[in-house]
Amino acid sequence: MSGLFAFGMGIASHNAAGDVLDTWFPAPLRGANRATAAAARAVGSDAAATPEAAERVAAALGEDGQADAADAYRMLAGLGKPLVAVALETDEPVVSTPEAYLKLHLLSHRLALPNTLNLDRIFEHLPTVAWTSDGPVDPRDLSARVAAARSRGQTLTVHAVDKFPRMTDYVAPPGVRIADASRVRLGAYLGEGTTVMHEGFLNFNAAAIGPNMVEGRVSQGVTLGAHTDLGGSASTMGTLSGGGQIVITIGEHCLVGANAGCGIPLGDRCTIEAGLYITAGTIVDVIDESGTAVRAVKARELAGQNDMLFIRHSQTGAVQCRTNRAAIELNAKLHAHN
Ligand SMILES: CC(C)(COP(=O)(O)OP(=O)(O)OC[C@H]1O[C@@H](n2cnc3c(N)ncnc32)[C@H](O)[C@@H]1OP(=O)(O)O)[C@@H](O)C(=O)NCCC(=O)NCCS
């Protein structure tokens, strides 16, 4: 075999009935290459999840020069816990909870960009979990677990009841700052040099390519290009609800102002004025160099273009698109030491 589409060994949590609640993969592998071919050989055709198999994967990765990944598989082998192995030959719709988690890990480990993995049926295989200070708990078991903690004189903190956990409980990618970990879901892609402030949010299958300043919400499917600033409480329109089908990509060196919103893809060096929400159907006056409105178009007709400045004229209320003369530079001092 020349290699797999993806491979991972990890540790799962279960409910009382033995159903999987989550799976942690410390070192997922991606791509038909020597490492995944060696991993496939090491676990055999039934993807046996034994400590010996993890040792064999570690040895193969070591021979392949992947020291960090080899260490992770050696660590797994030594934990003395039941292991889970997922070996995917091709990228098909999700069929199990561990497989759903492997794909979310691939995104957060920067091994896959948003919209490049087959995530069909993922919701069916992600159980709703109470994410607690004592790990994942089946919501049906929660009151018993709260009572048990109280009986020991302790309290159980429930961070969320949701299908997706916080990314940082599974992977903290290098070179990023995240002010509030609960605002970044597992499956988000955060590139080197990304800062997510308290109001910022990244969904699964959403990316800040880095470096970026994220103070607004990056919806499922949305990608922010390098050096782009998503201002405080700004919104990027997703495609999961409300009928919008256009996947939003925002280019490089863009500024989506505070409380603004973006419902069309933008090219590079674009700015949306603070407080202005551009939807696909917004009628926009296109203004030429002399300041004259030359045509009125729906914003979707401007999708993907570079160097656009959108403002709402403060006296007429008309939404205008001008040539952007001042593309932003991220504050280098803020991002230099992530
Ligand atoms: C849209 C924006 C970028 C314009 O800023 P700017 O380029 O500094 O614009 P200026 O204030 O210098 O204005 C340039 C010209 O456009 C005009 N103008 C700007 N906004 C206007 C508006 N809403 N309506 C009418 N005219 C406007 C100005 O009057 C000025 O005209 P002049 O050249 O004839 O004097 C700015 O208003 C903005 O919204 N920035 C977002 C900042 C932000 O939210 N950051 C994130 C923080 S969390």
Side-chain angles (χ1 to χ4, degrees):
M1 187 188 292
S2 61
L4 297 164
F5 162 69
F7 175 85
M9 285 181 98
I11 295 187
S13 310
H14 301 84
N15 65 8
D19 304 319
V20 176
L21 296 176
D22 80 333
T23 311
W24 171 58
F25 294 99
L29 306 175
R30 164 88 198 269
N33 50 41
R34 282 188 2 203
T36 53
R41 278 196 305 279
V43 297
S45 57
D46 57 349
T50 60
E52 295 72 30
E55 286 285 10
R56 289 196 294 273
V57 174
L61 288 169
E63 283 166 23
D64 199 41
Q66 301 199 41
D68 289 348
D71 284 348
Y73 282 86
R74 218 166 283 120
M75 174 271 297
L76 277 174
L79 282 182
K81 293 273 179 199
L83 301 178
V84 174
V86 177
L88 302 178
E89 286 191 23
T90 52
D91 188 16
E92 303 296 327
V94 174
V95 298
S96 71
T97 302
E99 191 182 312
Y101 271 83
L102 179 61
K103 289 190 171 179
L104 296 175
H105 278 75
L106 291 177
L107 287 155
S108 293
H109 276 265
R110 303 174 180 156
L111 293 170
L113 285 166
N115 309 312
T116 64
L117 295 180
N118 189 338
L119 300 177
D120 292 352
R121 309 193 66 178
I122 193 165
F123 288 107
E124 292 167 48
H125 296 286
L126 289 174
T128 299
V129 171
W131 304 102
T132 79
S133 50
D134 197 27
V137 172
D138 187 323
R140 290 168 296 190
D141 301 335
L142 191 56
S143 32
R145 292 286 291 270
V146 169
R150 294 268 171 183
S151 74
R152 295 192 300 270
Q154 297 166 344
T155 51
L156 191 72
T157 300
V158 180
H159 302 294
V161 179
D162 190 14
K163 284 183 175 292
F164 293 83
R166 301 186 290 208
M167 180 187 76
T168 49
D169 289 348
Y170 296 76
V171 49
V176 305
R177 285 195 286 140
I178 303 170
D180 180 349
S182 67
R183 304 280 296 172
V184 180
R185 281 172 137 186
L186 182 64
Y189 178 117
L190 273 69
E192 186 94 28
T194 296
T195 297
V196 185
M197 293 302 288
H198 299 77
E199 203 60 28
F201 167 77
L202 282 108
N203 208 337
F204 77 100
N205 195 42
I209 295 299
N212 293 106
M213 173 56 98
V214 183
E215 299 186 77
R217 300 180 299 281
V218 187
S219 301
Q220 194 277 140
V222 173
T223 298
L224 300 185
H227 306 283
T228 279
D229 184 328
L230 191 60
S233 296
S235 155
T236 52
M237 210 181 270
T239 46
L240 285 183
S241 57
Q245 297 302 319
I246 309 169
V247 174
I248 306 293
T249 303
I250 297 181
E252 299 186 357
H253 293 281
C254 291
L255 169 62
V256 181
N259 279 347
C262 185
I264 60 166
L266 299 179
D268 297 334
R269 300 174 303 279
C270 293
T271 296
I272 302 179
E273 181 188 40
L276 171 59
Y277 209 124
I278 300 290
T279 65
T282 302
I283 307 291
V284 180
D285 286 336
V286 178
I287 307 293
D288 73 5
E289 301 299 316
S290 69
T292 310
V294 287
R295 59 197 171 110
V297 297
K298 288 187 176 167
R300 64 168 62 86
E301 293 174 43
L302 302 172
Q305 291 188 30
N306 298 327
D307 301 297
M308 296 185 290
L309 165 65
F310 290 95
I311 63 163
R312 181 183 294 279
H313 195 282
S314 54
Q315 291 177 311
T316 68
V319 178
Q320 300 182 335
C321 176
R322 298 168 177 245
T323 302
N324 198 12
R325 304 220 169 276
I328 65 140
E329 293 296 334
L330 285 182
N331 185 335
K333 281 190 193 141
L334 271 178
H335 298 272
H337 302 292
N338 277 7

